[in-house]
Amino acid sequence: MGSSPKIGVYPGSFDPITNGHLDIVERARLLFDRLVVAVAVNSSKKCLFTVPERVELIQEVLINTPTVEVSTFSGLLVDFAYEIRATAIVRGIRAVTDFEYEYAIYQMNRDLNQDVDTVFLLAVREHSFLSSSIIKEVACYGRDVTDYAPEVVNRALLQKFGHLT
Ligand code: ADP
């Protein structure tokens, strides 16, 4: 019998997915046999895109990326991670501000379930100030964001803000 596959879960709002998220996906998938990108359904954040819209955008962008799949989860992340037998949660860290927030979540998740660890990947320099919020802010004024997100995301954003028919 071989050992069980290593499964990583990369959770987030992905509202919408950006090149920063994609860089984390590309790097994280090399660390696991399978990587599950998991869109949070009950996040307290107010989102621009619905969960199915976010899932569809991620699926379109990752269609040719082997060993990566997209899912949604509601409830506690550690419970979802445990359910799918994930070895570890993956989170990205951009600046010190991310670190404080992520460290608090890590501590709580560890208290909730010690069997699920968290792996942190640091943002590469070119994406270290990139966030979904910032590209939404730019796209809402009709500006192209293809430097920061895939074309399909750019189109979805401009459409959402009524800049495309
Ligand atoms: P959440 O609401 O859970 O923070 P996000 O979609 O904002 O969801 O982010 C998901 C994860 O991706 C977080 O760990 C976040 O720090 C990370 N992330 C977001 N943008 C970047 C980026 N530009 N580079 C690296 N990691 C990022």
Side-chain angles (χ1 to χ4, degrees), residues 14-25:
F14 303 104
D15 184 46
I17 192 159
T18 69
N19 289 347
H21 293 126
L22 287 172
D23 179 60
I24 298 293
V25 168

Side-chain angles (χ1 to χ4, degrees), residues 73-143:
F73 73 99
S74 47
L76 285 176
L77 171 62
V78 279
D79 293 341
F80 174 71
Y82 189 74
E83 223 169 85
I84 65 166
R85 309 225 182 302
T87 318
I89 294 164
V90 175
R91 295 287 287 178
I93 291 192
R94 284 160 292 188
V96 187
T97 42
D98 271 353
F99 175 79
E100 285 191 15
Y101 173 71
E102 295 294 339
Y103 195 32
I105 296 177
Y106 159 76
Q107 301 278 13
M108 179 53 78
N109 284 341
R110 203 179 152 74
D111 287 348
L112 292 169
N113 189 337
Q114 297 208 353
D115 293 331
V116 184
D117 211 338
T118 306
V119 169
F120 295 99
L121 293 176
L122 298 181
V124 291
R125 192 180 295 120
E126 58 268 40
H127 299 146
S128 54
F129 292 101
L130 179 53
S131 66
S132 301
S133 327
I134 254 174
I135 67 167
K136 282 185 278 192
E137 183 75 28
V138 171
C140 95
Y141 295 104
R143 298 293 284 262

